[in-house]
Amino acid sequence: MGRTVWFPGHMAKGRRQLEALAKNLDLIIEVRDARAPSLTSSPFIRLLAGSIKTAVVLSKADLADEKISRLWVSELRKHGFLAWALDLRKGGVSQLKKSLLAFKPQHRDLRLAVVGVPNVGKSMLINQLAGRRSVPVGGIPGVTKGVSWIKGGGFLLVDSPGILDPHGDAGAQRIISWIGASRGEVIGSMSEHAKQCAEFLISRSLWAPVESAWGISAEGNGSEIVDKIGRRLGKLVAGGEVDCEAAGKALLNALAAGKFGRMSLEKPGDAPLWESLK
């Protein structure tokens, strides 16, 4: 049986480093996937809640339902977070930079950490905040040891490895892998992931974009849907049988990359997504 949670050693190390670093920071930026802002919330925010100002960037906003993203930004701001929904690939961080620099001490750069689960755009955000002339620097005397910083644009930024909650629900980890924020291959069969993903999308009335793109109807269970995907995309093996792993991977890769257009998996106030998998 595959592992249910992906939590390699570098994540544990990053977690220990950031916990030690927090007292020396002015602000934390948490990057979440706009398609599932609650699901992709970092466990660090729970650990550090109340002790440090936090900004939330909902990345990949171009892949999420625009109206739902606006609801999420409003909800986050109600709870005291600075919040923005952004397509980091297109930049557009000028207002974000202006808002963050309002917290900059007069005598030094603003110290902040960028945290989040894997593959949500943390490095892209760091590069845009620091600017093209940013330079990596070593440990800052009197601040911390063993952490690399990036200096530029009035910021002193520390990156962190993507971190998933090692005690998180296995269903949550599966859904995270569907949007590309975890490696589905290491926590189970791609075919089984895809079957469950198809049934999930259908149950939440989110299958229409898939049908529009690939001409595959919502009739049938997960296994039948994956079979139809394999035949539609030509994912076959000798004898005309469907290569279910290849078909499943095709569905999950397309979903993660936004090939089916804007799609939000959750709205503010929804029950935890993984509960529907039980």
Side-chain angles (χ1 to χ4, degrees), residues 34 56-61 66 69-70 73 77 83-87 92:
V56 176
V57 170
L58 303 181
S59 67
K60 305 183 183 181
E66 190 172 8
S69 291
R70 285 199 295 267
V73 168
R77 289 176 177 173
W84 295 266
L86 301 172
D87 174 5

Side-chain angles (χ1 to χ4, degrees), residues 154-167:
F155 298 102
L156 193 58
L157 300 112
V158 59
D159 193 3
S160 70
I163 297 166
L164 295 173
D165 189 343
H167 305 294

Side-chain angles (χ1 to χ4, degrees), residues 45-266:
I45 301 307
R46 297 195 297 274
L47 291 173
L48 303 175
S51 63
I52 188 168
K53 189 70 176 176
T54 303
V56 176
V57 170
L58 303 181
S59 67
K60 305 183 183 181
D62 58 310
L63 305 184
D65 184 299
E66 190 172 8
K67 292 181 180 178
I68 294 177
S69 291
R70 285 199 295 267
L71 292 177
W72 274 110
V73 168
S74 177
E75 182 72 10
L76 287 163
R77 289 176 177 173
K78 284 180 185 177
H79 287 83
F81 293 100
L82 305 169
W84 295 266
L86 301 172
D87 174 5
L88 295 175
R89 292 177 299 180
K90 294 183 178 179
V93 299
S94 57
Q95 185 57 48
L96 171 63
K97 291 175 69 170
K98 181 179 179 181
S99 298
L100 295 176
L101 287 172
F103 295 93
K104 177 183 176 300
Q106 291 185 353
H107 61 287
R108 61 170 172 79
D109 292 328
L110 182 71
R111 297 173 183 160
L112 56 89
V114 179
V115 303
V117 300
N119 303 325
V120 289
K122 298 185 301 298
S123 296
M124 191 179 299
L125 177 60
I126 286 174
N127 291 338
Q128 292 185 24
L129 288 176
R132 291 185 177 181
R133 295 187 179 182
S134 63
V135 293
V137 296
I140 306 300
V143 178
T144 189
K145 296 179 180 179
V147 174
S148 295
W149 297 79
I150 295 175
K151 180 180 176 67
F155 298 102
L156 193 58
L157 300 112
V158 59
D159 193 3
S160 70
I163 297 166
L164 295 173
D165 189 343
H167 305 294
D169 185 279
Q173 306 301 334
R174 288 197 294 276
I175 300 174
I176 284 174
S177 77
W178 300 346
I179 57 175
S182 179
R183 292 169 55 189
E185 295 93 335
V186 301
I187 57 176
S189 158
M190 297 297 280
S191 172
E192 293 304 315
H193 275 291
K195 292 173 186 177
Q196 199 166 42
C197 178
E199 291 176 350
F200 172 87
L201 294 176
I202 291 169
S203 72
R204 299 181 79 88
S205 302
L206 293 172
W207 188 257
V210 184
E211 183 169 359
S212 177
W214 286 354
I216 297 170
S217 68
E219 285 79 22
N221 59 30
S223 295
E224 292 166 331
I225 295 291
V226 169
D227 186 81
K228 287 193 286 186
I229 290 172
R231 297 190 183 283
R232 173 67 177 81
L233 301 182
K235 305 294 184 180
L236 305 175
V237 295
E241 295 296 318
V242 169
D243 182 341
C244 292
E245 283 294 298
K249 188 173 183 178
L251 173 63
L252 297 175
N253 284 349
L255 179 64
K259 299 297 185 182
F260 304 126
R262 291 177 175 266
M263 185 185 297
S264 292
L265 302 187
E266 58 182 355

